[in-house]
Amino acid sequence: MQVFILVFQFYMVNKIADSIEAEYRSRNLPVEPRPTYQIGLVMCVCSAATLVGQVPVLSFFSMIAAVAGFVVWIMYWVKTAEWKNKIKFLPQDNDGESDLFKNLY
């Protein structure tokens, strides 16, 4: 189960970064490539590093990785919330719907 959660975490960090970039590009606005991806990747690696705690000799390393992962987790979600708030105040089209979601139905 832990492995699934870790893989899913890497997947979601990737998709969130791509989604933010795609939203800005759909509105023809400048954006850094894959925002939130680097800090999200660090968060995922710290989470994965906690798995070495299964080996008794490396349990101290696992604790350090867990604390670092928690700090980076907070930083990641603060950064993601900043981008969410920036997107909220982007100029809207006439109908107020994002270009990404117009052709879904």
Side-chain angles (χ1 to χ4, degrees):
M1 185 65 166
Q2 285 181 335
V3 174
F4 172 76
I5 292 169
L6 286 173
V7 170
F8 187 71
Q9 189 175 16
F10 276 96
Y11 175 79
M12 287 307 299
V13 163
N14 186 38
K15 290 298 183 180
I16 289 170
D18 289 344
S19 176
I20 293 169
E21 182 179 4
E23 182 65 31
Y24 272 77
R25 298 230 187 272
S26 75
R27 298 178 189 210
N28 295 321
L29 296 170
V31 65
E32 65 186 70
R34 302 186 84 194
T36 72
Y37 181 71
Q38 289 179 338
I39 191 76
L41 188 61
V42 171
M43 176 188 69
C44 292
V45 168
C46 286
S47 295
T50 62
L51 290 179
V52 299
Q54 306 298 327
V55 179
V57 177
L58 299 174
S59 63
F60 181 71
F61 177 74
S62 178
M63 287 188 296
I64 291 173
V67 171
F70 181 68
V71 170
V72 177
W73 176 77
I74 292 170
M75 293 168 56
Y76 173 73
W77 285 108
V78 166
K79 185 75 156 174
T80 302
E82 287 174 4
W83 280 99
K84 178 195 68 110
N85 290 331
K86 287 179 185 178
I87 288 172
K88 191 186 310 183
F89 295 107
L90 286 177
Q92 296 286 329
D93 292 336
N94 293 338
D95 60 1
E97 188 172 7
S98 169
D99 288 341
L100 290 176
F101 300 109
K102 282 184 182 177
N103 299 322
L104 288 179
Y105 33 84

